[in-house]
Amino acid sequence: LGRSSCLPRCVARVHGARVEREQQAGAAGRGAMATIASSEGDRRLDAGLEAGAGPSAAFGGAIQHRFSPYDWNGGTVVAVGGKGYAVIACDKRLATGYSIKSRNINRAYKLSDKTVIACGGCHADVSALYNQLKYKAVMYKFDHGADMSTVGAAQLLSNTLYYRRFFPLYALAVIAGLDEDGLGYVAGYDAVGSYLRSRDGYTANGSAAAIAMPILDNALGKIGVSSGLQNKPEYSPEEVVEMIKDIFITVGERDIMCGDAVDIYVITETGTRHEIFNLKED
C-alpha cells in the first residue's frame, strides 16, 4: 500500500524534470537562432526590464535583437596634387570581416575630365552617393553648358553628405582634380561632409589611412606634419604614381582590407589617364 501511494509522486517528479530539460533546450535553441539572425549580436536586457519580461523570462530571459544598416567594406584612398596634376588611387578589394566579396570593384568615380572622387567605407552607401553626384553633375552640365569645376564638385560632395547627416552615408571620400589656376586640388572628407583642402597637396582616407599618411608625411610634408628631408623636391606625375604604388604595396602587407589591385587616375590639363596596378596575388 505504501509503495503504490508513492508512485504518483515519483511519476510527477520525473515528468517535471523532463519538462524543465525541454524548456532549457528550447531556450538554448532560441538563443542560438537569435545570435545568427542579428548582424551585431544580441544582448540581454537589464535586470529591470528582464523582471517585467513576462513568461519569456522563464525561458532564459528577454533577448533584444539589434540590426545595423551599415557594413564596413574597407577601401583605402590616397591622393597627391602638384603643379599641373593630381593623382588619386584606391584599391579594388571588397571585404567584410574576414571574407573577401570581390577582388575587382571600382571605388572611384570620374565626375568630369578633371575631377575624380574615390571612397572607402560601406560600398552600398558609396554607390548611392555616386548615383546622386552623377545626377547632379549631369543637371549642372545641362543647365550651364560646361562641366562642374573641381572646387564646385568639392562643395557639392560636402553638401550631399551633410544633407544625410542624421542618417549618414558611410562613405569616407577623397576628391582630386585641378583648380582654376591649374594646380592640383586634393581634399578629404568625413562621413557628414566636413572637408579641408590639403595645404601640402596630399591626403589619405579609408581603411589604411593611418598607415599611408606617415609615408606621405615623410615624402611630401612641408607645411603640416613633416619628417624626412627638410627641403622636399618637386615630383613629377610619373614619380608620384611610382610612390603611390610603393605605398599600396606597403599597405597591402599590413591591412587585410586592402589588396588585389589598385586603380590609379592621373589628372592633367589634357584629361584623365587611368591605369590598374596589380598587387601580389597570394
Side-chain angles (χ1 to χ4, degrees), residues 123-267:
H123 195 61
D125 283 1
V126 171
S127 298
L129 174 63
Y130 289 165
N131 286 334
Q132 295 181 43
L133 295 175
K134 178 182 178 180
Y135 165 77
K136 294 176 181 179
V138 169
M139 291 302 299
Y140 181 93
K141 188 171 183 177
F142 179 80
D143 292 336
H144 299 278
D147 287 328
M148 191 182 303
S149 68
T150 300
V151 177
Q155 186 63 57
L156 171 65
L157 177 57
S158 176
N159 293 348
T160 305
L161 292 170
Y162 186 71
Y163 180 79
R164 288 287 304 273
R165 62 193 179 278
F166 297 116
F167 190 2
L169 293 170
Y170 196 1
L172 306 177
V174 172
I175 189 169
L178 300 180
D179 63 12
E180 59 275 6
D181 298 322
L183 299 177
Y185 184 101
V186 171
Y189 293 74
D190 66 8
V192 293
S194 299
Y195 76 106
L196 181 68
R197 179 177 182 176
S198 173
R199 295 179 298 170
D200 279 327
Y202 64 87
T203 190
N205 210 344
S207 175
I211 304 174
M213 279 302 291
I215 305 173
L216 293 168
D217 290 334
N218 183 270
L220 302 170
K222 297 178 183 178
I223 301 173
V225 178
S226 178
S227 60
L229 297 175
Q230 289 187 347
N231 299 318
K232 299 293 195 304
E234 295 292 335
Y235 294 98
S236 67
E238 292 74 20
E239 291 172 329
V240 170
V241 168
E242 294 303 316
M243 183 188 303
I244 288 177
K245 289 178 180 178
D246 288 339
I247 289 173
F248 274 95
I249 291 173
T250 300
V251 167
E253 296 282 351
R254 292 163 174 80
D255 181 17
I256 62 172
M257 306 293 280
C258 177
D260 298 310
V262 183
D263 282 312
I264 302 174
Y265 294 82
V266 182
I267 307 163

Side-chain angles (χ1 to χ4, degrees), residues 23-99:
Q23 290 176 350
Q24 291 175 353
R30 283 190 297 275
M33 292 175 64
T35 302
I36 294 172
S38 173
S39 62
E40 288 191 344
D42 301 318
R43 65 182 179 87
R44 299 207 176 275
L45 299 174
D46 58 35
L49 292 176
E50 191 170 342
S56 63
F59 297 99
I63 299 295
Q64 182 184 52
H65 300 277
R66 294 186 295 169
F67 168 76
S68 173
Y70 299 110
D71 192 13
W72 175 243
N73 299 129
T76 300
V77 184
V78 174
V80 177
K83 292 181 179 179
Y85 71 90
V87 181
I88 184 169
C90 52
D91 71 292
K92 298 177 74 67
R93 175 176 291 179
L94 179 67
T96 177
Y98 293 103
S99 300

